[in-house]
Amino acid sequence: MTNRRKLWDSVRSIFLGTTVVLSIVIILLTVFFSMIFTDKVSRQFYVTNIDSLTQVERNVSELSNIAMNIAYQIYEDVAISKIIFYGERDAFSTSNAIRQLENYRRAFPFISSIYIYNPDNQFLLVNNGNMLLNIAGSYEGELNINNFDDKEAIDIMLNYKSYTQYTPIARSYTSGNITSEYYTYVKYNLLTGSNSVILLNISRKWLDDIIQQEYFSKNKYYTAIFDDSGKVVFSSPAKFYASESNISAIWDSIHPTEDGYTLADIDSEKTLVVYTRPDANEWRYIRIIPYKTLTSEITSVQILVICITAALFAASLIVSLFVSIRVSAPITTMKRRLQNLDYLWYKNMRELKSNYLRDLLFGSLMPDLTNHNESMEQLGIYLPVDGPLAIVLIKIDHFSVFLREYNIKEQGINYYAIMNIACEILSNNSTLKTEAVRVSENGIAIIIGGEGADSSARELLIPQMLEIQKILLSHFDISLSLFASVTVDSIHKLSGRLSELLKISFYSFIYGSGAAICENDIEMGQSCDFSLLDASENKIVTALMQGKTDSAKQAYIDFVNCIGLCVQSVYDIMFSKLFFSLNKSVTNIITSEEKRENIMLDPIDWQNIEEIEEINEHVFCFFDKIGNAQQNRTAAKKEGIVQNINNIIEEEYCDANLSVNLIAEKLSVSVSYISKAYKESTGRTILEQIAATRMQKAEELLANTDISIVEVASRSGVQNITYFYRLFKTRHGVTPAQFRACKKH
């Protein structure tokens, strides 16, 4: 049975290997031969088409040579030279010239029209088969040159020196609704001093017929002629790849001076471009062949081979999968068991390592260096036992928010990220050894050891601590406070340093979030002047009792600064004493027991305080509530006094002796107090209120009674009739008599 299994394993291995190798070989051979065959087909197409284009070039050159000879003969013709050189304009010379041009045009059918222009006398002779015109302006049928409708030809004749002789110019001419396309040859002679010019217009149709002889219409190939500027002067079909981007792509793909072939993307389609070198006219003859016509047969072969390969490969995969399932099932089970065992081993080792490091930091292990070496080596801890060592304690700021925002799993991931990032940075590019362990719910200790750890904590750790804070805040949105110990020379001294760091971490609430503190930067347990603290406390309470909230806040700040970096017990005692005094002052300011309960200060839970601003904000809020309560009480008291003053004025306004002093005496308060309180509450003085009340009573008496004005003044509390008149007119703008008369009517 064992031998059969071994044989089957061998067969399976060979089969799988052969299948894979065969598939790879077939794919590689397919690609290789496809590339070779494609290249050979492209070269064959190039040879065939370059021969065809060369023949087209010869035919076009022959046509150009014929046109050149005809133009030269016309220029030397005796009947025509009279017009060209001498500008003779008699009827006999003109008719002879026209007849001779007609003979030339009929002898060479590819000539569509002939123009002769003498700029010296504005003489233009045109022969196009349909029209025999002498345009000069003096003979019968002659027209002004500006009325000749072939404007492009006129432009050529007027600027003929800017054109090269015997080089065809591709152009079109529209007459009415008919547009004709020509290749125009220009002939002039600069040596004789004559300014005359001959334009020989050859129909595009003749050039089409020449090229069509070599045009492979059945294969949908395209032929074009480009001039030296990249402009299409001829194309067959006429509207081949007409967009500027396509023309530019073709022109940019060809060699500037040699013939050859290349590939170009035209209308997002791969295309073979075959081109000639520039001819005598600097024209390039180009044939554009859709690449798919070349590769259609190749593609079919490729598809067939790929299908066969894919089928063979798929069959091999199915067989391999079936065999693998049967064979690998026990191996998979064993592998899973090994993975579980490996995970359990790793988890237990990590837990053992963490427990060992915690015991080391909290002083639970015996300072036996030999045992330390053996245990640490077994647990994968590579810290030096007797070398320079230091601790960095990391605390998460706003820890209550951290616990609220992340679940247990997310918290574990964040702890793991903090420890790994901190170890990576503090290891100083692997020159130092680092180990991380959680020492409290909100505390992670990083132990650093090795050469270089004996540098001062500030030089070694502060820059790296700041980098840790920056990375964790930017990538994980976690704010950290870090505390670094001084270096020690033995691993068993680390417990003392952790104890000091835990004490230092208490002061993070003074420095705020994101603190980075070294142990030797803080003088813990500094002395405290309790007499100054008591004085500050008295200032706070006195200011509150007087309603001076801002003064109370400043005195409180002085109180906090006076405590400084005292130990936690001093903070606890002094704040408890201050809160007791403040709560006691509440009973003197707020009489309602229910309102006092909402304002009272609770004892501070120092374990949950992370920043001094949290306490300050709580205390300042308490001060504001006390200040508001005092303001409300003062306002209520003033309201009562104002009401009493108004009552006295209403009752005794008719008493001529009524005054502020009399009212103050009745209320048993000072004159200045009631004057200020009344003015602040009503916006007017007491005397103004007395006068207003008296005038109101006088108005009622004047309107409702017929008693004398002297009696009205007396009953209103004004004994001086002159003063009464002045006071009444100041208030109403009229005298009492006028007021009564107005009311009567």
Side-chain angles (χ1 to χ4, degrees):
M1 188 70 179
T2 303
N3 293 334
R4 291 183 63 185
R5 180 176 295 277
K6 289 182 178 180
L7 179 60
W8 172 249
D9 289 342
S10 300
V11 171
R12 178 178 60 84
S13 300
I14 294 172
F15 175 74
L16 291 176
T18 303
T19 302
V20 172
V21 171
L22 181 60
S23 300
I24 293 173
V25 169
I26 292 175
I27 292 172
L28 291 177
L29 288 176
T30 302
V31 173
F32 176 72
F33 286 115
S34 174
M35 292 173 62
I36 292 177
F37 187 61
T38 302
D39 183 65
K40 287 187 175 297
V41 170
S42 300
R43 288 184 176 275
Q44 183 61 40
F45 267 87
Y46 162 68
V47 171
T48 303
N49 283 277
I50 201 68
D51 291 342
S52 173
L53 290 175
T54 302
Q55 184 60 43
V56 171
E57 179 183 350
R58 292 195 193 100
N59 295 339
V60 173
S61 296
E62 287 180 8
L63 183 63
S64 296
N65 290 333
I66 294 172
M68 179 180 66
N69 292 329
I70 295 172
Y72 181 79
Q73 290 180 24
I74 294 173
Y75 205 87
E76 298 295 328
D77 192 286
V78 175
I80 301 173
S81 62
K82 292 180 181 181
I83 296 174
I84 295 176
F85 294 107
Y86 310 110
E88 295 184 9
R89 300 174 54 190
D90 58 273
F92 179 76
S93 298
T94 302
S95 62
N96 280 343
I98 292 175
R99 192 178 303 107
Q100 192 65 11
L101 290 178
E102 180 66 14
N103 292 334
Y104 281 115
R105 197 185 62 76
R106 290 182 177 180
F108 302 99
F110 55 83
I111 299 177
S112 294
S113 59
I114 303 172
Y115 302 162
I116 299 176
Y117 175 62
N118 189 329
D120 293 335
N121 55 13
Q122 299 294 305
F123 190 90
L124 174 62
L125 190 64
V126 177
N127 184 302
N128 61 4
N130 298 323
M131 176 176 65
L132 300 175
L133 291 179
N134 167 26
I135 302 174
S138 59
Y139 293 105
E140 184 179 353
E142 293 176 350
L143 300 173
N144 189 285
I145 191 170
N146 294 325
N147 295 327
F148 187 45
D149 56 358
D150 195 345
K151 301 300 181 183
E152 190 172 358
I154 293 174
D155 181 70
I156 295 174
M157 289 186 288
L158 293 177
N159 302 283
Y160 66 89
K161 292 182 180 180
S162 61
Y163 294 90
T164 304
Q165 294 192 88
Y166 310 123
T167 297
I169 303 169
R171 67 183 192 88
S172 61
Y173 164 48
T174 301
S175 178
N177 296 325
I178 301 174
T179 299
S180 302
E181 295 185 353
Y182 300 116
Y183 291 95
T184 298
Y185 291 82
V186 181
K187 167 62 180 171
Y188 54 87
N189 193 339
L190 297 177
L191 299 177
T192 61
S194 172
N195 291 327
S196 297
V197 60
I198 297 175
L199 266 61
L200 199 64
N201 299 310
I202 296 178
S203 173
R204 172 196 163 98
K205 180 178 178 301
W206 286 88
L207 193 60
D208 278 348
D209 292 340
I210 292 173
I211 295 178
Q212 288 290 352
Q213 296 173 7
E214 304 295 335
Y215 176 62
F216 300 160
S217 57
K218 64 179 181 179
N219 291 321
K220 296 183 180 180
Y221 299 163
Y222 301 90
T223 302
I225 301 175
F226 283 57
D227 63 14
D228 58 349
S229 64
K231 179 181 177 182
V232 177
V233 298
F234 172 85
S235 63
S236 182
K239 294 185 177 180
F240 102 117
Y241 298 120
S243 70
E244 290 294 333
S245 60
N246 287 337
I247 294 172
S248 178
I250 294 171
W251 181 251
D252 293 340
S253 67
I254 67 177
H255 192 279
T257 58
E258 301 294 332
D259 57 14
Y261 69 96
T262 185
L263 294 178
D265 287 329
I266 301 176
D267 288 336
S268 301
E269 183 179 354
K270 196 174 182 182
T271 305
L272 180 67
V273 179
V274 181
Y275 51 90
T276 66
R277 67 185 64 196
D279 65 1
N281 296 322
E282 295 297 324
W283 282 8
R284 308 294 296 275
Y285 298 80
I286 297 174
R287 179 150 295 150
I288 296 92
I289 306 167
Y291 198 70
K292 60 185 178 182
T293 62
L294 301 178
T295 57
S296 57
E297 296 183 4
I298 301 173
T299 303
S300 61
V301 174
Q302 288 176 334
I303 292 174
L304 179 61
V305 173
I306 290 172
C307 290
I308 295 173
T309 305
L312 182 60
F313 191 66
S316 302
L317 287 178
I318 294 173
V319 174
S320 300
L321 180 63
F322 174 76
V323 175
S324 298
I325 291 174
R326 295 291 301 271
V327 173
S328 62
I331 298 176
T332 303
T333 303
M334 182 61 69
K335 183 179 179 181
R336 190 181 301 114
R337 290 177 182 175
L338 291 174
Q339 288 175 341
N340 291 336
L341 290 174
D342 187 54
Y343 171 75
L344 292 174
W345 178 87
Y346 173 76
K347 183 177 179 181
N348 292 334
M349 284 295 294
R350 188 173 60 180
E351 191 64 32
L352 289 171
K353 183 178 180 179
S354 298
N355 290 336
Y356 185 89
L357 291 173
R358 271 191 289 269
D359 291 341
L360 179 67
L361 292 175
F362 286 107
S364 302
L365 296 177
M366 295 296 293
D368 187 338
L369 299 183
T370 304
N371 290 337
H372 276 314
N373 274 326
E374 294 177 358
S375 301
M376 288 167 58
E377 186 176 349
Q378 292 175 359
L379 295 172
I381 302 173
Y382 301 103
L383 295 170
V385 175
D386 54 356
L389 295 150
I391 301 175
V392 172
L393 179 64
I394 301 175
K395 291 184 67 176
I396 300 175
D397 297 328
H398 312 294
F399 188 63
S400 58
V401 177
F402 175 82
L403 295 178
R404 187 168 58 252
E405 290 186 352
Y406 298 104
N407 57 38
I408 299 297
K409 183 178 180 180
E410 292 171 338
Q411 291 173 22
I413 294 172
N414 285 325
Y415 283 129
Y416 185 76
I418 293 171
M419 288 190 287
N420 276 274
I421 292 172
C423 286
E424 182 67 25
I425 294 174
L426 292 171
S427 65
N428 195 20
N429 297 323
S430 302
T431 59
L432 298 175
K433 302 299 182 182
T434 56
E435 293 292 345
V437 63
R438 288 182 64 185
V439 293
S440 66
E441 186 180 17
N442 185 24
I444 298 172
I446 309 295
I447 307 173
I448 310 166
E451 295 298 329
D454 53 349
S455 304
S456 68
R458 174 165 294 280
E459 294 176 359
L460 176 67
L461 299 178
I462 287 294
Q464 297 172 347
M465 290 160 63
L466 295 176
E467 185 178 357
I468 293 170
Q469 290 175 329
K470 180 180 178 181
I471 292 176
L472 266 298
L473 186 62
S474 61
H475 291 84
F476 293 86
D477 197 24
I478 298 175
S479 176
L480 302 176
S481 292
L482 291 88
F483 310 89
S485 74
V486 297
T487 56
V488 295
D489 58 3
S490 178
I491 199 167
H492 68 269
K493 294 181 181 180
L494 290 175
S495 59
R497 299 278 56 81
L498 178 63
S499 176
E500 293 300 313
L501 288 182
L502 291 173
K503 293 177 183 178
I504 291 173
S505 66
F506 166 76
Y507 298 107
S508 63
F509 84 95
I510 297 177
Y511 291 94
S513 301
I517 305 171
C518 288
E519 180 184 349
N520 49 10
D521 289 342
I522 293 183
E523 297 179 6
M524 293 188 303
Q526 66 182 27
S527 60
C528 183
D529 191 340
F530 289 97
S531 61
L532 288 177
L533 290 173
D534 290 337
S536 297
E537 180 183 326
N538 292 332
K539 285 182 181 179
I540 296 171
V541 175
T542 302
L544 279 181
M545 297 298 293
Q546 294 176 352
K548 300 177 180 179
T549 304
D550 292 337
S551 299
K553 290 180 180 179
Q554 184 58 50
Y556 168 77
I557 293 173
D558 295 338
F559 175 83
V560 174
N561 292 336
C562 188
I563 299 177
L565 296 177
C566 292
V567 295
Q568 182 178 350
S569 58
V570 174
Y571 271 90
D572 197 6
I573 292 171
M574 296 312 300
F575 270 92
S576 297
K577 185 172 178 294
L578 174 64
F579 283 12
F580 176 78
S581 300
L582 293 175
N583 287 333
K584 186 176 180 181
S585 67
V586 173
T587 59
N588 298 326
I589 298 172
I590 302 175
T591 56
S592 172
E593 183 175 352
E594 182 178 353
K595 292 182 179 179
R596 286 202 303 267
E597 289 295 329
N598 295 331
I599 296 178
M600 291 291 194
L601 290 168
D602 296 325
I604 298 175
D605 182 6
W606 294 101
Q607 297 298 322
N608 294 322
I609 296 297
E610 296 192 3
E611 296 183 11
I612 190 66
E613 290 301 324
E614 297 178 30
I615 303 176
N616 295 347
E617 184 179 351
H618 184 51
V619 173
F620 288 165
C621 181
F622 170 81
F623 289 169
D624 292 335
K625 289 180 180 178
I626 295 297
N628 292 335
Q630 286 183 311
Q631 289 177 0
N632 294 337
R633 188 175 69 170
T634 301
K637 184 177 179 181
K638 286 182 180 179
E639 223 175 278
I641 291 174
V642 170
Q643 186 62 42
N644 290 334
I645 292 172
N646 288 335
N647 292 338
I648 293 173
I649 293 173
E650 189 67 31
E651 293 172 359
E652 302 188 20
Y653 70 92
C654 57
D655 185 358
N657 296 321
L658 180 63
S659 64
V660 179
N661 290 335
L662 182 62
I663 295 173
E665 184 178 342
K666 284 180 176 290
L667 296 177
S668 300
V669 292
S670 67
V671 173
S672 60
Y673 177 74
I674 63 170
S675 297
K676 182 179 179 181
Y678 196 87
K679 178 72 173 178
E680 290 178 351
S681 298
T682 64
R684 63 170 64 179
T685 64
I686 296 175
L687 291 177
E688 289 173 345
Q689 181 62 27
I690 293 173
T693 303
R694 285 172 172 171
M695 289 300 99
Q696 181 184 357
K697 298 301 180 181
E699 291 170 11
E700 295 175 359
L701 291 172
L702 288 170
N704 300 322
T705 68
D706 294 326
I707 61 176
S708 65
I709 293 176
V710 175
E711 183 66 22
V712 170
S714 177
R715 289 187 182 185
S716 301
V718 182
Q719 299 300 323
N720 189 324
I721 190 64
T722 302
Y723 175 70
F724 176 77
Y725 266 89
R726 186 170 65 250
L727 189 64
F728 193 91
K729 190 170 184 178
T730 300
R731 178 178 175 87
H732 297 286
V734 296
T735 63
Q738 291 171 336
F739 179 84
R740 172 175 277 177
C742 181
K743 290 295 183 180
K744 292 294 184 181
H745 293 86

